[in-house]
Amino acid sequence: MTPKASEGSRELSVQKIKDGTVIDHISAGYALAVLQILGITGREGDILLVAMNMHSKRLDKKDLIKIEGRELTTEEINRIALVAPKATINIIRSFKVHHKQRIKIPDEIEGIVNCANPSCITNNERGITSSFTVTQRNPVTLRCTYCKQITSHNQIIDQLLGKS
Ligand SMILES: [Zn+2]
């Protein structure tokens, strides 16, 4: 496992994983929100590498996550679009990229975030899952199916990072 020649000395070397998922090109500062979306705490016991504010050719700076022992499902990958629409997903098997998967922002989102309207039925009745139509894709903006209130990208991020 020698580093590739293209990985210059300025690049931070990050340990390879055997089987799992690499999420690359996450906008800088959003890696923790991605982990929150995936429900990954780091206490699962599997190797989890999180690198933030790394140099990138495509973006000014980027975050990167490597998750050992877990191949993300298409649904999980699409959820990542809520906070990192430019991310790229590599499924790793036996240290090699088995396939790359594009993120496709779904038209509808169920759960994950709460409606921004405090008096929305989804925030007040038990057993009603939040439900949204995606009205804007980059950055993602959501409209509640029930009360039509818009939940902004910043509100989504604040919720996922536990600021609200
Ligand atoms: Zn609502």
Side-chain angles (χ1 to χ4, degrees):
M1 281 208 306
T2 48
K4 276 182 278 171
S6 60
E7 289 171 356
S9 56
R10 285 185 65 226
E11 298 261 332
L12 179 65
S13 136
V14 181
Q15 185 186 333
K16 289 196 174 186
I17 56 170
K18 182 168 180 279
D19 298 297
T21 305
V22 174
I23 310 168
D24 199 356
H25 299 106
I26 302 165
S27 306
Y30 288 84
L32 298 179
V34 170
L35 290 176
Q36 181 77 22
I37 278 186
L38 297 174
I40 293 172
T41 64
R43 293 189 294 273
E44 292 80 8
D46 297 313
I47 295 171
L48 173 66
L49 298 152
V50 181
M52 298 180 75
N53 299 316
M54 297 176 74
H55 292 287
S56 165
K57 286 172 194 125
R58 267 173 57 185
L59 306 168
D60 285 345
K61 285 181 179 176
K62 68 171 184 180
D63 289 1
L64 172 76
I65 299 172
K66 297 190 179 191
I67 307 159
E68 173 73 50
R70 182 159 162 190
E71 291 189 7
L72 298 185
T73 65
T74 299
E75 197 211 344
E76 286 174 319
I77 288 167
N78 290 343
R79 286 176 171 208
I80 293 170
L82 278 178
V83 294
K86 291 178 187 162
T88 55
I89 314 291
N90 298 315
I91 304 296
I92 308 295
R93 291 185 190 163
S94 301
F95 295 109
K96 294 203 172 101
V97 177
H98 183 263
H99 65 275
K100 292 175 184 276
Q101 193 161 338
R102 280 194 177 276
I103 286 184
K104 188 174 169 291
I105 301 171
D107 296 325
E108 317 253 306
I109 300 275
E110 298 253 325
I112 311 175
V113 289
N114 298 320
C115 177
N117 172 9
S119 47
C120 178
I121 189 168
T122 61
N123 288 322
N124 294 283
E125 296 265 336
R126 279 189 166 198
I128 299 183
T129 306
S130 64
S131 171
F132 304 93
T133 303
V134 176
T135 56
Q136 193 182 305
R137 280 164 191 273
N138 189 11
V140 170
T141 304
L142 304 174
R143 187 177 64 229
C144 179
T145 308
Y146 295 91
C147 73
K148 310 303 178 195
Q149 170 95 20
I150 295 291
T151 299
S152 72
H153 187 248
N154 284 341
Q155 287 170 322
I156 294 167
I157 300 293
D158 284 352
Q159 279 191 37
L160 292 170
L161 294 178
K163 289 180 196 157
S164 65

